[in-house]
Amino acid sequence: MDRIVFHVDLDSFYTSVEVREHPELRGKPVIVGADPKGGKGRGVVMAASYEARAQGVKAGMPISLAWRKLPDAVYKRPNYELYGTVSENVMSTLREFADKFEQASIDEAYLDVTAKTTWGVVRDYALAVKMRVREREGLTCSLGAAPNKSTAKIAATQQKPDGLTIVPPDQVKSFLATLPVNAISGVGEKTERVLAELGIRTIGDLAAYPGAELTKVLGRNAVWLWGIAAGIEELPVEERPDPKSISVERTFEHDVTDWSVILETLDSVADNVYIRARNAGMAYRLVGIKIRFEGFRTHTRDRTLPTWTLDRQIVLDTARELVAEFKGRERPVRMLGVRVANLQTPKGRQASLPG
Ligand SMILES: [Mg+2]
């Protein structure tokens, strides 16, 4: 039987939360990220409202460049604590509508609603989800409905913001056929180039390409990619078990050599990891970093702490200490990641209490 899967993606989540908290910002270009310091600021844009995007500002862009484009925009430093709380509320609202629920990121989730609705009335059910999120949290989201996760995710991006795109089983192939290959989550510039050399530009091209040939070029990834393109991916929507680690990564739009930008970004990534651990109630005993240089050479470092902790500053300080060894290398940095592991759940902590 065909499943009915929703992918729900909050629209411009960080900036939308800022506008919700400060209604006077509605309709204005809002940029969340590093302090622009009158155009001299280091660091990057983390999120841009649709008004800012319309003026060419987007996530990952240096904050100084955003300032040159939009000096009059509203600039906000990220408030991960607030975003984490709002995310938790949205997720618990969404969960009520699902048979099976899977949070995919701070602002995205999959809902398997197969037993809750039918393809005949799925639009009403999807509108009810969107309305509930708006009523309870004052935020809009975009929703894609399809028989599998990958198609639902692509559908959700088609009509942002406040979008609703429904792809019933008999329309999956035609819906995917004309979209560019980079509409598939995980297909970056590099894969796009490799595929373009084979004459593959659309998802339809990809689905029609001989699988064996594709495997020669892409290796194991070919099977996964082809399944998505053909609309036959069948991954279940499933609640994630208690994680073994919590990690956040950020890729720079342009490789970065400025060490102050690297540290500022690292702090913000570490802060994000801390909030997620705190929201999950997970104490951690290991803090790790990942740094990727131009050319994809990736290094990881980690440190085990003397005991479990839920302290924010320890994550930030340890991440900075671990990354210090890479300072002074000439190579530009492409990506930074922070993780905490060796996690202890609230349940585990309770059990270890005396009595
Ligand atoms: Mg989003």
Side-chain angles (χ1 to χ4, degrees):
M1 192 186 78
D2 282 310
R3 290 180 299 158
I4 308 178
V5 176
F6 286 178
H7 182 260
V8 178
D9 180 8
L10 291 158
D11 299 320
S12 189
F13 179 53
Y14 293 176
T15 64
S16 298
V17 172
E18 292 295 345
V19 171
R20 187 190 83 171
E21 299 297 304
H22 309 280
E24 69 277 12
L25 302 183
R26 191 167 300 283
K28 295 188 178 158
V30 178
I31 296 167
V32 171
D35 185 345
K37 294 181 183 160
K40 296 193 181 69
R42 314 254 176 222
V44 297
V45 173
M46 277 149 209
S49 69
Y50 290 93
E51 291 82 358
R53 292 183 203 189
Q55 309 286 324
V57 174
K58 57 180 184 174
M61 176 180 279
I63 200 81
S64 54
L65 178 56
W67 181 270
R68 280 208 293 282
K69 287 176 184 283
L70 276 180
D72 296 328
V74 178
Y75 288 84
K76 290 269 180 194
R77 310 302 309 277
N79 182 347
Y80 293 117
E81 181 114 20
L82 173 64
Y83 308 152
T85 306
V86 176
S87 167
E88 254 186 293
N89 294 342
V90 171
M91 293 301 157
S92 68
T93 293
L94 292 176
R95 199 181 293 269
E96 292 169 17
F97 285 89
D99 301 312
K100 295 177 205 152
F101 180 81
E102 178 178 337
Q103 181 171 351
S105 76
I106 193 166
D107 72 332
E108 290 177 42
Y110 293 99
L111 288 68
D112 186 320
V113 297
T114 310
K116 294 264 198 255
T117 185
T118 63
W119 283 110
V121 295
V122 70
R123 177 171 294 274
D124 290 340
Y125 197 70
L127 285 170
V129 172
K130 286 163 59 71
M131 195 187 299
R132 188 78 63 86
V133 171
R134 188 193 286 252
E135 280 168 3
R136 283 205 192 155
E137 294 302 322
L139 297 171
T140 64
C141 59
S142 293
L143 192 154
N148 64 29
K149 286 163 77 176
S150 52
T151 308
K153 183 173 167 73
I154 294 168
T157 63
Q158 294 305 299
Q159 301 185 53
K160 279 188 139 290
D162 203 12
L164 173 57
T165 304
I166 293 171
V167 186
D170 61 346
Q171 289 171 29
V172 170
K173 280 209 162 152
S174 58
F175 166 74
L176 293 174
T178 57
L179 297 172
V181 285
N182 69 6
I184 298 173
S185 167
V187 172
E189 279 177 33
K190 199 177 154 213
T191 308
E192 204 182 341
R193 272 199 303 276
V194 171
L195 292 174
E197 276 166 28
L198 302 175
I200 299 172
R201 291 198 162 69
T202 65
I203 298 180
D205 294 339
L206 185 56
Y209 207 81
E213 294 296 307
L214 210 56
T215 306
K216 274 187 212 159
V217 185
L218 294 176
R220 283 184 309 152
N221 280 337
V223 179
W224 160 80
L225 202 56
W226 191 85
I228 291 174
I232 57 168
E233 171 267 300
E234 288 186 330
L235 290 173
V237 175
E238 54 191 357
E239 192 80 41
R240 302 210 170 156
D242 282 348
K244 294 218 170 7
S245 68
I246 296 170
S247 61
V248 173
E249 295 181 352
R250 191 162 299 142
T251 302
F252 293 109
E253 188 185 9
H254 301 291
D255 297 346
V256 170
T257 47
D258 186 329
W259 197 250
S260 64
V261 174
I262 290 163
L263 288 184
E264 191 163 348
T265 305
L266 188 75
D267 282 351
S268 124
V269 172
D271 216 11
N272 213 323
V273 170
Y274 158 72
I275 296 287
R276 287 196 195 179
R278 198 207 51 191
N279 283 350
M282 298 280 193
Y284 32 83
R285 204 180 162 183
L286 180 141
V287 177
I289 59 123
K290 186 193 266 188
I291 184 165
R292 177 171 297 153
F293 292 98
E294 175 190 43
F296 295 96
R297 184 177 292 269
T298 307
H299 304 268
T300 59
R301 294 290 182 272
D302 56 53
R303 179 180 299 162
T304 299
L305 308 169
T307 184
W308 281 271
T309 178
L310 266 165
D311 188 274
R312 169 178 176 271
Q313 201 58 43
I314 286 177
V315 182
L316 270 73
D317 290 346
T318 308
R320 277 195 174 226
E321 284 166 28
L322 291 170
V323 90
E325 128 180 29
F326 299 97
K327 187 180 179 182
R329 308 229 177 149
E330 298 298 301
R331 308 242 308 286
V333 173
R334 171 155 302 174
M335 185 273 278
L336 284 171
V338 175
R339 77 186 174 105
V340 293
N342 196 342
L343 301 173
Q344 204 177 40
T345 63
K347 257 180 272 165
R349 281 202 296 282
Q350 262 162 22
S352 68
L353 286 174

